[in-house]
Short mmCIF file of all heavy atoms in Angstrom, two decimals:
data_model
loop_
_atom_site.label_atom_id
_atom_site.label_comp_id
_atom_site.label_asym_id
_atom_site.label_seq_id
_atom_site.Cartn_x
_atom_site.Cartn_y
_atom_site.Cartn_z
N TYR T 5 42.91 18.40 0.11
CA TYR T 5 43.73 19.51 -0.35
C TYR T 5 43.17 20.09 -1.65
O TYR T 5 43.10 21.30 -1.82
CB TYR T 5 45.18 19.05 -0.54
CG TYR T 5 46.09 20.14 -1.02
CD1 TYR T 5 46.54 21.13 -0.16
CD2 TYR T 5 46.50 20.19 -2.35
CE1 TYR T 5 47.36 22.15 -0.60
CE2 TYR T 5 47.32 21.20 -2.81
CZ TYR T 5 47.75 22.17 -1.93
OH TYR T 5 48.57 23.17 -2.37
N CYS T 11 38.02 25.60 -3.49
CA CYS T 11 37.20 26.56 -2.74
C CYS T 11 37.87 27.93 -2.68
O CYS T 11 37.20 28.96 -2.81
CB CYS T 11 36.93 26.05 -1.32
SG CYS T 11 35.75 24.68 -1.28
N VAL T 14 37.47 29.60 -6.09
CA VAL T 14 36.09 30.03 -6.28
C VAL T 14 35.81 31.29 -5.45
O VAL T 14 35.20 32.24 -5.93
CB VAL T 14 35.10 28.90 -5.92
CG1 VAL T 14 33.68 29.42 -5.83
CG2 VAL T 14 35.20 27.78 -6.94
N ASP T 20 36.13 38.97 -6.51
CA ASP T 20 36.42 39.93 -7.57
C ASP T 20 35.18 40.29 -8.36
O ASP T 20 35.01 41.43 -8.78
CB ASP T 20 37.50 39.37 -8.51
CG ASP T 20 38.87 39.31 -7.83
OD1 ASP T 20 39.04 40.00 -6.81
OD2 ASP T 20 39.73 38.57 -8.32
N ARG T 28 34.38 57.41 -0.76
CA ARG T 28 35.15 58.20 0.20
C ARG T 28 34.42 59.50 0.46
O ARG T 28 33.85 60.10 -0.44
CB ARG T 28 36.53 58.52 -0.38
CG ARG T 28 37.39 57.31 -0.61
CD ARG T 28 38.74 57.73 -1.10
NE ARG T 28 39.60 56.59 -1.30
CZ ARG T 28 40.83 56.68 -1.78
NH1 ARG T 28 41.34 57.84 -2.11
NH2 ARG T 28 41.55 55.59 -1.94
N ILE T 43 36.92 57.65 -9.80
CA ILE T 43 38.34 57.45 -10.11
C ILE T 43 38.53 56.00 -10.56
O ILE T 43 38.09 55.07 -9.89
CB ILE T 43 39.23 57.77 -8.89
CG1 ILE T 43 39.01 59.21 -8.42
CG2 ILE T 43 40.70 57.51 -9.21
CD1 ILE T 43 39.34 60.28 -9.45
N ASP T 49 40.94 51.74 -18.72
CA ASP T 49 40.78 52.96 -19.49
C ASP T 49 39.53 53.69 -19.00
O ASP T 49 38.45 53.10 -18.92
CB ASP T 49 40.64 52.60 -20.98
CG ASP T 49 40.40 53.82 -21.84
OD1 ASP T 49 41.19 54.78 -21.72
OD2 ASP T 49 39.43 53.81 -22.62
N SER T 56 30.69 51.88 -19.67
CA SER T 56 29.95 50.90 -18.87
C SER T 56 28.94 51.59 -17.96
O SER T 56 27.82 51.13 -17.80
CB SER T 56 30.91 50.06 -18.03
OG SER T 56 31.79 49.33 -18.85
N GLY T 59 25.84 52.69 -19.66
CA GLY T 59 24.88 51.62 -19.83
C GLY T 59 23.92 51.51 -18.65
O GLY T 59 22.80 51.04 -18.78
N ILE T 61 23.46 54.35 -16.32
CA ILE T 61 22.83 55.67 -16.18
C ILE T 61 23.08 56.45 -17.46
O ILE T 61 24.10 57.13 -17.59
CB ILE T 61 23.41 56.43 -14.96
CG1 ILE T 61 23.19 55.63 -13.69
CG2 ILE T 61 22.76 57.81 -14.83
CD1 ILE T 61 23.80 56.22 -12.46
N VAL T 65 17.83 64.32 -18.92
CA VAL T 65 17.46 65.52 -18.17
C VAL T 65 16.25 65.19 -17.31
O VAL T 65 15.27 64.64 -17.80
CB VAL T 65 17.14 66.70 -19.11
CG1 VAL T 65 16.67 67.92 -18.33
CG2 VAL T 65 18.35 67.04 -19.96
N THR T 69 13.11 68.74 -12.48
CA THR T 69 14.05 69.81 -12.10
C THR T 69 14.73 70.47 -13.28
O THR T 69 15.28 71.56 -13.14
CB THR T 69 15.14 69.24 -11.17
OG1 THR T 69 15.92 68.28 -11.89
CG2 THR T 69 14.55 68.62 -9.92
N PRO T 72 20.51 68.01 -15.75
CA PRO T 72 21.00 66.84 -16.48
C PRO T 72 21.59 65.80 -15.54
O PRO T 72 21.99 66.11 -14.41
CB PRO T 72 22.08 67.42 -17.39
CG PRO T 72 22.55 68.64 -16.68
CD PRO T 72 21.36 69.17 -15.92
N VAL T 75 27.06 60.73 -17.32
CA VAL T 75 28.48 61.07 -17.32
C VAL T 75 28.62 62.47 -17.91
O VAL T 75 28.23 62.72 -19.04
CB VAL T 75 29.31 60.05 -18.13
CG1 VAL T 75 30.76 60.48 -18.22
CG2 VAL T 75 29.21 58.67 -17.50
N MET T 76 29.14 63.39 -17.11
CA MET T 76 29.20 64.80 -17.52
C MET T 76 30.53 65.21 -18.13
O MET T 76 30.58 66.03 -19.01
CB MET T 76 28.92 65.70 -16.31
CG MET T 76 27.61 65.41 -15.64
SD MET T 76 26.31 65.36 -16.83
CE MET T 76 25.26 66.61 -16.28
N TRP T 79 38.17 62.63 -17.84
CA TRP T 79 39.58 62.98 -17.87
C TRP T 79 40.38 61.69 -17.84
O TRP T 79 39.80 60.61 -17.88
CB TRP T 79 39.97 63.95 -16.75
CG TRP T 79 39.58 63.53 -15.38
CD1 TRP T 79 40.30 62.78 -14.52
CD2 TRP T 79 38.34 63.82 -14.71
NE1 TRP T 79 39.60 62.58 -13.35
CE2 TRP T 79 38.40 63.21 -13.45
CE3 TRP T 79 37.19 64.53 -15.05
CZ2 TRP T 79 37.37 63.30 -12.52
CZ3 TRP T 79 36.17 64.61 -14.13
CH2 TRP T 79 36.27 64.01 -12.89
N SER T 80 41.70 61.76 -17.77
CA SER T 80 42.54 60.59 -17.98
C SER T 80 42.31 59.46 -16.99
O SER T 80 42.41 58.29 -17.35
CB SER T 80 44.02 60.98 -17.97
OG SER T 80 44.36 61.53 -16.72
N GLY T 82 39.49 59.30 -14.70
CA GLY T 82 38.17 59.27 -14.09
C GLY T 82 37.16 60.12 -14.84
O GLY T 82 37.40 60.55 -15.96
N ASP T 92 21.09 55.63 -7.05
CA ASP T 92 21.69 55.22 -8.33
C ASP T 92 23.18 54.88 -8.20
O ASP T 92 23.69 54.05 -8.94
CB ASP T 92 21.53 56.31 -9.39
CG ASP T 92 20.11 56.44 -9.89
OD1 ASP T 92 19.30 55.52 -9.62
OD2 ASP T 92 19.81 57.45 -10.55
N GLY T 101 36.63 48.13 -12.65
CA GLY T 101 37.60 49.15 -12.99
C GLY T 101 37.51 50.42 -12.18
O GLY T 101 38.35 51.30 -12.31
N SER T 109 32.55 68.16 -4.65
CA SER T 109 32.39 69.23 -3.67
C SER T 109 33.00 70.52 -4.17
O SER T 109 33.83 70.51 -5.07
CB SER T 109 33.01 68.83 -2.32
OG SER T 109 34.38 68.57 -2.50
N ALA T 114 42.60 79.53 -0.35
CA ALA T 114 42.90 80.82 0.27
C ALA T 114 44.34 80.80 0.77
O ALA T 114 44.83 79.78 1.24
CB ALA T 114 41.95 81.10 1.42
N ASP T 125 49.46 94.30 -2.68
CA ASP T 125 48.93 94.78 -1.40
C ASP T 125 47.75 95.73 -1.64
O ASP T 125 46.77 95.71 -0.91
CB ASP T 125 50.03 95.47 -0.60
CG ASP T 125 49.68 95.60 0.88
OD1 ASP T 125 48.66 95.03 1.30
OD2 ASP T 125 50.45 96.24 1.60
N ASN T 131 42.33 100.80 1.58
CA ASN T 131 42.64 101.92 2.47
C ASN T 131 44.08 101.88 2.95
O ASN T 131 44.65 100.82 3.19
CB ASN T 131 41.70 101.90 3.69
CG ASN T 131 40.24 102.03 3.27
OD1 ASN T 131 39.93 102.75 2.34
ND2 ASN T 131 39.37 101.31 3.95
N PRO T 133 46.99 102.88 5.89
CA PRO T 133 48.29 102.43 5.40
C PRO T 133 48.24 100.94 5.00
O PRO T 133 47.46 100.17 5.54
CB PRO T 133 49.21 102.64 6.60
CG PRO T 133 48.32 102.47 7.78
CD PRO T 133 46.97 102.99 7.36
N ALA T 140 44.59 86.17 -0.73
CA ALA T 140 43.74 85.72 -1.85
C ALA T 140 42.67 84.80 -1.26
O ALA T 140 42.84 83.58 -1.24
CB ALA T 140 44.57 84.98 -2.88
N ALA T 142 39.18 85.60 -1.89
CA ALA T 142 37.92 85.96 -2.53
C ALA T 142 37.38 84.76 -3.31
O ALA T 142 38.12 83.85 -3.68
CB ALA T 142 38.13 87.15 -3.45
#
Side-chain angles (χ1 to χ4, degrees):
Y5 180 76
C11 287
V14 168
D20 290 342
R28 296 183 179 177
I43 302 299
D49 177 52
S56 298
I61 302 176
V65 176
T69 64
V75 175
M76 303 310 240
W79 53 89
S80 62
D92 288 346
S109 59
D125 198 7
N131 299 323

